[in-house]
Amino acid sequence: MIGRIIETPDCVAEGAEYLARIEPRFARALQQTGPLPLRRKKDGFEPLLAAIVSQQVSVAAANAIWTRLKAAKLTGPRKILWATDDDLRACGLSRQKIRYARALAEARINFGDLRGVPDEDVVATLVEVPGIGRWTAEIYAMFSLGRADVFAPADLALQESARMLFETEARPTEKQLRVMAEPWAPWRAVAARLLWAYYHVAKDREGIR
């Protein structure tokens, strides 16, 4: 079964209102962040490649690499397969990420089919590709497929934001944050947007591209 799909800012606002109602800390955070962004992206190969680019680098570094890839017209599967390693390295991709980009291009995922399957099946399909872990798959499900109840507890900015907002002694682990997020269903993807927005306010820097 597929739950709610986030398609418009009104969907995000509905989720934010729900979260503020069930958790006072979210209500206070919303007063600081203001309306939350929609963050919807198109689905398909390109946003997954962009997610691979974003792995383990800062938002600024990921933006710079992505800008170079776009300028070189190296954001499609055939272009990735045709490009030389030197071409991709010149855009800022590491040897490991070049391998991951090529693996994604060779996987020939049917992205249209992913729109109609449950969240866990989306994640299971994507993590079969080398270089796509659960974080990348969950980010794709959230932003490219609009799944309203997907969360990405391995995200360091979400962990740090949760630490600040919920005033825990230590940053929650992935497992701890996944458990913490369970009461935020069926709007966990909006909770993620709120935590990223709060991170931006508290740290004065972006937590997600």
Side-chain angles (χ1 to χ4, degrees):
M1 178 180 174
I2 299 172
R4 285 288 299 272
I5 302 295
I6 294 175
E7 296 177 326
T8 68
D10 287 344
C11 298
V12 178
E14 180 185 346
E17 181 181 348
Y18 171 83
L19 292 168
R21 193 164 61 246
I22 67 165
E23 174 51 69
R25 291 180 182 85
F26 281 145
R28 291 198 298 271
L30 275 167
Q31 291 176 350
Q32 297 180 54
T33 65
L36 303 176
L38 177 59
R39 290 194 181 276
R40 272 305 300 266
K41 300 179 179 179
K42 66 181 182 179
D43 63 348
F45 179 87
E46 191 170 299
L48 266 179
L49 178 62
I52 288 173
V53 168
S54 297
Q55 291 172 359
Q56 297 180 317
V57 298
S58 69
V59 172
N63 284 336
I65 295 168
W66 189 250
T67 297
R68 290 195 289 271
L69 285 169
K70 293 280 281 186
K73 295 182 169 55
L74 293 176
T75 58
R78 284 181 295 180
K79 295 292 184 67
I80 291 292
L81 292 176
W82 293 341
T84 67
D85 284 2
D86 286 344
D87 292 334
L88 296 171
R89 197 175 297 113
C91 294
L93 289 184
S94 65
R95 186 187 324 175
Q96 185 179 55
K97 287 189 178 180
I98 290 172
R99 183 166 63 85
Y100 292 163
R102 295 197 191 282
L104 176 61
E106 291 167 352
R108 302 186 184 279
I109 296 168
N110 188 324
F111 293 104
D113 285 353
L114 289 184
R115 299 170 192 164
V117 302
D119 300 340
E120 279 304 314
D121 290 349
V122 172
V123 172
T125 296
L126 295 181
V127 298
E128 289 180 0
V129 180
I132 297 183
R134 190 171 182 93
W135 176 85
T136 302
E138 287 169 337
I139 293 296
Y140 182 86
M142 267 195 276
F143 294 156
S144 292
L145 298 179
R147 302 301 174 87
D149 201 32
V150 174
F151 196 72
D155 188 270
L156 293 181
L158 289 183
Q159 293 173 7
E160 177 63 12
S161 185
R163 182 195 67 78
M164 293 186 294
L165 184 59
F166 288 86
E167 299 177 305
T168 61
E169 284 190 19
R171 182 188 293 169
T173 64
E174 176 181 356
K175 184 176 180 180
Q176 289 169 338
L177 187 53
R178 192 176 294 278
V179 172
M180 186 187 297
E182 287 175 0
W184 308 336
W187 290 105
R188 280 176 280 194
V190 177
R193 285 165 169 82
L194 177 49
L195 287 171
W196 276 313
Y198 184 72
Y199 180 90
H200 176 62
V201 169
K203 295 281 194 176
D204 194 29
R205 64 185 181 189
E206 294 295 340
I208 190 77
R209 281 188 76 231

